[in-house]
């Protein structure tokens, strides 16, 4: 019986595919195992399940003498040294399907909240000074009829586009590779160069995967290209954005607003961002519903069962 070490406490409803066939260990009395605890246990396990905030590095893999599979509990896999895993003959998988719709849903929620100033209004109404009820004072930015620029038009980007089109937005996008014409027509989307997207979009959503090449792809130079009325949304990875440059741009009104679910040094958030009224902040919560987190567990377990038994397709990343 293969032994599976799950680094984070997950609800048993999502682990049923493993019951009776795999020896499962996960935290019961606390939220997660520390790295030190994982290092101590890992030599006896064939499968490791880290979540998106648990970094699986060379030290762990060198200790994991039996490790055959890292089944990541997340769509992004920058929390794993994938290249080193490949050198060690360890397969890495992710969960792109169960994370698609909730992440797109949350990205659009951030877009609305930041553009229409929902978070700002809620905060101010709870304070003694309140908020102006004047006709024009402290106005938001409309969404209908505006242009959404999507950086990374993959699964999540396309699901976001579907929501935006239903809300009357125009879609432009930038990808490493242009999409098929049929997909573009589905969203009436127009492929543009990266700089053109930054200069022309009213709302900009970052949905590309993190790689060394996309590190800080949004920095001071890119922020200065955006409209002064632009709203920037990030549900991808925090390290793709120069956080200090973003805070400076928001403070100086180089751009109008932002909605962020991810940060460079999670769970730490840059103090300057916490002080700003024109940014909506969330704690990496795009998939944080009970239903979606259980669905993520199910997809994760299907990768394990598919790897060993061939009964499910396996979402390999190496």
């Amino acid at each position: 019986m293969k032994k599976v070490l799950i680094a984070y406490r997950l609800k048993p409803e999502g682990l049923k595919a493993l019951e009776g066939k795999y020896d499962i260990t996960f935290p019961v009395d606390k939220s997660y195992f520390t790295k030190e605890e994982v290092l101590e246990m890992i030599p006896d396990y064939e499968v490791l399940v880290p979540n998106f905030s648990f970094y699986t590095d060379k030290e762990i893999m060198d200790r994991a003498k039996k490790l055959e599979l890292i089944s990541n509990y997340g769509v992004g896999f920058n929390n794993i040294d994938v290249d080193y895993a490949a050198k060690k003959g360890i397969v890495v998988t992710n969960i792109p399907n169960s994370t698609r719709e909730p992440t797109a849903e949350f990205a659009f929620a951030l877009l609305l909240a930041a553009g229409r100033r929902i978070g700002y209004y809620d905060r101010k109404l709870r304070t003694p000074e309140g908020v102006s009820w004047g006709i024009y004072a402290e106005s938001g930015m409309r969404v209908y009829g505006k242009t959404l620029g999507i950086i990374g038009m993959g699964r999540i980007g396309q699901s976001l586009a579907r929501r935006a089109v239903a809300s009357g937005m125009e879609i432009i996008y930038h990808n490493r590779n242009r999409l098929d014409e049929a997909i573009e027509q589905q969203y009436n989307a127009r492929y543009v160069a990266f700089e053109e997207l930054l200069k022309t979009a009213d709302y900009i959503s970052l949905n590309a995967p993190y790689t060394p090449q996309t590190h800080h792809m949004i920095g001071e130079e890119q922020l200065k290209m955006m409209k002064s009325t632009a709203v920037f949304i990030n549900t991808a990875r925090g390290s793709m954005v120069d956080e200090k440059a973003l805070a400076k741009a928001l403070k100086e009104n180089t751009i109008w607003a932002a909605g962020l679910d991810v940060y460079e040094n999670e769970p730490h958030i840059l103090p300057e961002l916490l002080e700003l009224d024109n940014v909506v902040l969330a704690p990496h919560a795009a998939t944080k519903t009970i239903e979606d987190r259980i669905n993520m567990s199910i997809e994760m377990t299907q990768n394990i069962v598919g790897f060993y038994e061939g009964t499910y397709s396996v979402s390999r990343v190496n």
Side-chain angles (χ1 to χ4, degrees), residues 61 64 67-70 82 84-92 318:
M61 285 184 257
L67 195 61
E68 299 168 333
L69 174 66
I70 300 173
V82 175
Y84 193 68
K87 289 179 183 177
K88 300 279 288 186
I90 301 167
V91 172
V92 178
N318 69 346

Side-chain angles (χ1 to χ4, degrees), residues 177-252:
N177 301 300
R178 185 171 179 174
L179 298 174
D180 290 339
E181 186 177 349
I183 297 176
E184 290 184 341
Q185 289 177 351
Q186 186 176 349
Y187 307 107
N188 196 24
R190 182 166 59 90
Y191 177 80
V192 297
F194 182 54
E195 290 189 3
E196 183 180 348
L197 184 149
L198 297 177
K199 291 176 181 177
T200 59
D202 300 299
Y203 289 82
I204 296 172
S205 180
L206 185 54
N207 299 101
Y210 177 84
T211 67
Q213 292 71 38
T214 60
H215 182 81
H216 278 195
M217 68 182 298
I218 301 296
E220 184 176 7
E221 180 183 354
Q222 291 74 30
L223 290 160
K224 285 181 177 178
M225 291 183 192
M226 298 179 190
K227 293 180 176 181
S228 60
T229 54
V231 177
F232 175 72
I233 307 299
N234 187 11
T235 54
R237 283 294 181 266
S239 297
M240 298 169 74
V241 179
D242 182 338
E243 217 163 71
K244 290 185 177 179
L246 176 60
K248 183 173 182 285
L250 289 164
K251 184 176 182 179
E252 297 177 355

Side-chain angles (χ1 to χ4, degrees), residues 77-124:
F77 43 86
N78 60 304
N79 61 307
I80 300 168
D81 190 335
V82 175
D83 291 338
Y84 193 68
K87 289 179 183 177
K88 300 279 288 186
I90 301 167
V91 172
V92 178
T93 61
N94 72 339
I95 48 173
N97 299 315
S98 56
T99 53
R100 173 180 180 167
E101 293 300 333
T103 303
E105 182 176 86
F106 203 77
F108 197 64
L110 284 174
L111 184 154
L112 290 168
R116 296 303 308 271
R117 306 195 79 176
I118 295 170
Y120 172 79
Y121 294 149
D122 179 75
R123 286 194 304 275
K124 291 299 182 182

Side-chain angles (χ1 to χ4, degrees), residues 2 23 28 38 43-44 58 107 117 147 157 190 193-194 202 206 232 251 274 309 316:
K2 298 292 183 180
D23 185 353
V28 176
V38 170
D44 295 328
K58 295 179 182 180
R117 306 195 79 176
T147 297
R190 182 166 59 90
F194 182 54
D202 300 299
L206 185 54
F232 175 72
K251 184 176 182 179
L274 297 171
E309 303 175 37
R316 293 183 59 152

